[in-house]
Amino acid sequence: MPLTVEQGSPLPLLLDFAGLERADLEQAAVGLGLPSFRGRQIFQWIHQRGVSDFAAMTNLPRLLRDTLAKQAAISEPQLDTRQVSSDGTTKFLLKLGDGRRIEAVYIPDTPGQTFCISTQVGCAMACGFCLTGKMGLLRHLTTAEIVGQVRVMARETGLAGTPFNIVLMGMGEPLHNYDATMRALRILTDDKGAALPARRITLSTVGVLPGLQRLATESLMPNLAISLHATTDDQRDALVPVNRKYKLQELMDVCRAFPLRRRARITFEYVLLAEVNDTPDDARRLVHLLAGIQAKVNLLPLNEADGIEYHRPSEARVNAFAKILADRGVTVSVRKSRGRDIRAACGQLLVETPLTH
Ligand code: SAH
């Protein structure tokens, strides 16, 4: 396979190894006149050991390390700033090769350790209650930039080599950047890389249907979370504009047919907006929509922000909504908002710093 420059990425001056799957890195090695196992070794250094400096790759001959340092690169998002919330949630502002910035979040003890990563700079989906949606889409992230967030956070938190979870719930819509995202997931799950089990990865999507249908055919099966947020087309058209193209019923049909791992369920995320989608009727319609689907519901009481016209319902109202679901046999949880004091919570990722270098 020729090494192509991914759409949206800055033109690399050197051959960049950071976004290559193992087989492609082996081929790149062959392309440089090396045995393919050298590619595998480099892949292991990058993704298993978190090393992005050829000089540190001690099982490569010294001369080769020097040559690679001249001919190739292992790009990595640069840590710009880090903010720690009172609850331990840490928001990393990362700077990309072209000076753009993205956010990635470490959420401790949920009960596991979780990294929330971005797939785009901004987002094109324009959901009415989401700050990232207000930015619009600036560009897709490359595979290297998606996996790089995990490498940087694992190193910075000291969690490299320990089990952790990944949620694709940062900036962007993963199925709108399908190829780079799936390549990143294949790298993260590769047993010669971070060897993350697919069940530790959750892909969250508004339900871009062609992407979802394609995801259903993949051998790699991350957990699936659907950002539902509404129970009628009118309501969802207004809150989640992609619904104007892919209607609720079609979305639910695809979910119903979606292949799941044994004992797995689809998570339906439902942001609760006061007086908009939080009535008992909404709750009852939600129960009906989910009939026949292996589902659980995660309620997200709105994280309010300037520029967002909606409000967070009272706790009593959230509990009443949850109780209607639970009483009808639907598994439901209320997401505890983490990192709200540093604006690291759901839908609050927005890069405000100027895009200067
Ligand atoms: N684009 C994907 C990935 C983002 S996940 C998706 O939409 O699923 C982020 C989750 O937080 C989504 O469920 C999103 O709808 C939700 N969210 C966005 N803004 C929010 C807010 N202000 N308060 C609470 N949840 C929000």
Side-chain angles (χ1 to χ4, degrees):
M1 190 192 86
L3 295 168
T4 49
V5 178
E6 286 179 61
Q7 192 200 353
S9 69
L11 269 181
L13 299 171
L14 303 166
L15 177 61
D16 186 5
F17 285 166
L20 299 185
E21 290 179 52
R22 175 162 39 119
D24 295 334
L25 225 167
E26 286 171 355
Q27 237 183 303
V30 172
L32 293 170
L34 301 167
S36 73
F37 78 87
R38 292 294 181 207
R40 186 171 66 249
Q41 288 176 315
I42 296 167
F43 184 90
Q44 282 178 300
W45 278 110
I46 303 172
H47 301 292
Q48 196 174 69
R49 313 279 295 269
V51 167
S52 48
D53 178 6
F54 290 112
M57 300 185 178
T58 47
N59 59 357
L60 305 184
R62 187 174 297 275
L63 189 62
L64 176 57
R65 284 182 251 163
D66 295 344
T67 312
L68 286 172
K70 288 190 204 101
Q71 294 187 351
I74 300 166
S75 71
E76 193 168 277
Q78 297 301 305
L79 181 56
D80 191 286
T81 56
R82 171 211 314 243
Q83 278 177 282
V84 185
S85 157
S86 53
D87 63 24
T89 300
T90 306
K91 182 163 87 171
F92 295 90
L93 184 62
L94 303 173
K95 191 167 157 184
L96 308 175
D98 64 352
R100 297 243 185 243
R101 290 175 171 84
I102 52 165
E103 295 182 324
V105 183
Y106 162 53
I107 312 157
D109 310 320
T110 54
Q113 312 303 317
T114 301
F115 295 130
C116 175
I117 61 173
S118 298
T119 54
Q120 296 176 318
V121 188
C123 184
M125 299 296 122
C127 298
F129 44 83
C130 179
L131 276 184
T132 305
K134 303 276 175 212
M135 291 174 69
L137 177 65
L138 299 183
R139 72 166 169 87
H140 294 306
L141 294 186
T142 63
T143 302
E145 291 165 340
I146 298 171
V147 286
Q149 295 169 66
V150 179
R151 194 159 69 249
V152 171
M153 282 194 288
R155 187 185 303 141
E156 291 292 325
T157 55
L159 290 173
T162 71
F164 50 73
N165 307 309
I166 291 181
V167 295
L168 303 181
M169 297 189 185
M171 304 168 81
E173 165 50 48
L175 297 185
H176 186 211
N177 185 15
Y178 191 96
D179 292 328
T181 297
M182 289 311 293
R183 218 176 292 131
L185 297 191
R186 283 191 294 271
I187 289 173
L188 290 165
T189 52
D190 191 302
D191 59 4
K192 296 282 187 290
L196 219 71
R199 67 180 157 75
R200 285 194 173 275
I201 302 175
T202 300
L203 185 153
S204 180
T205 174
V206 289
V208 181
L209 276 203
L212 204 52
Q213 283 161 327
R214 199 169 152 202
L215 185 66
T217 67
E218 299 274 356
S219 54
L220 176 62
M221 290 171 92
N223 300 311
L224 182 61
I226 302 284
S227 289
L228 195 63
H229 309 320
T231 55
T232 66
D233 276 322
D234 279 352
Q235 208 182 32
R236 198 164 193 265
D237 284 354
L239 296 175
V240 183
V242 78
N243 195 73
R244 295 172 200 161
K245 194 155 178 192
Y246 309 114
K247 296 293 165 195
L248 254 183
Q249 212 46 62
E250 297 171 72
L251 172 60
M252 300 319 284
D253 287 346
V254 174
C255 288
R256 203 166 284 115
F258 200 84
L260 297 171
R261 287 190 321 274
R262 233 156 65 84
R263 288 194 293 274
R265 282 186 285 184
I266 299 178
T267 300
F268 288 86
E269 297 162 281
Y270 191 97
V271 64
L272 282 167
L273 311 172
E275 312 291 339
V276 175
N277 65 355
D278 66 340
T279 67
D281 278 346
D282 287 299
R284 285 188 283 267
R285 273 196 302 270
L286 182 54
V287 173
H288 286 295
L289 266 182
L290 298 179
I293 302 181
Q294 295 282 86
K296 54 186 171 180
V297 172
N298 194 203
L299 298 175
L300 289 64
L302 179 74
N303 294 312
E304 294 184 352
D306 288 346
I308 303 284
E309 58 180 302
Y310 300 102
H311 295 285
R312 183 184 182 97
S314 68
E315 217 175 293
R317 195 131 166 133
V318 171
N319 291 340
F321 193 98
K323 185 164 187 305
I324 293 174
L325 302 184
D327 284 349
R328 285 158 180 75
V330 175
T331 305
V332 57
S333 57
V334 179
R335 187 174 299 175
K336 205 173 135 230
S337 213
R338 304 286 300 256
R340 267 164 86 199
D341 53 337
I342 55 163
R343 275 243 322 257
C346 299
Q348 296 193 305
L349 301 185
L350 170 79
V351 175
E352 311 122 292
T353 38
L355 286 173
T356 49
H357 291 246

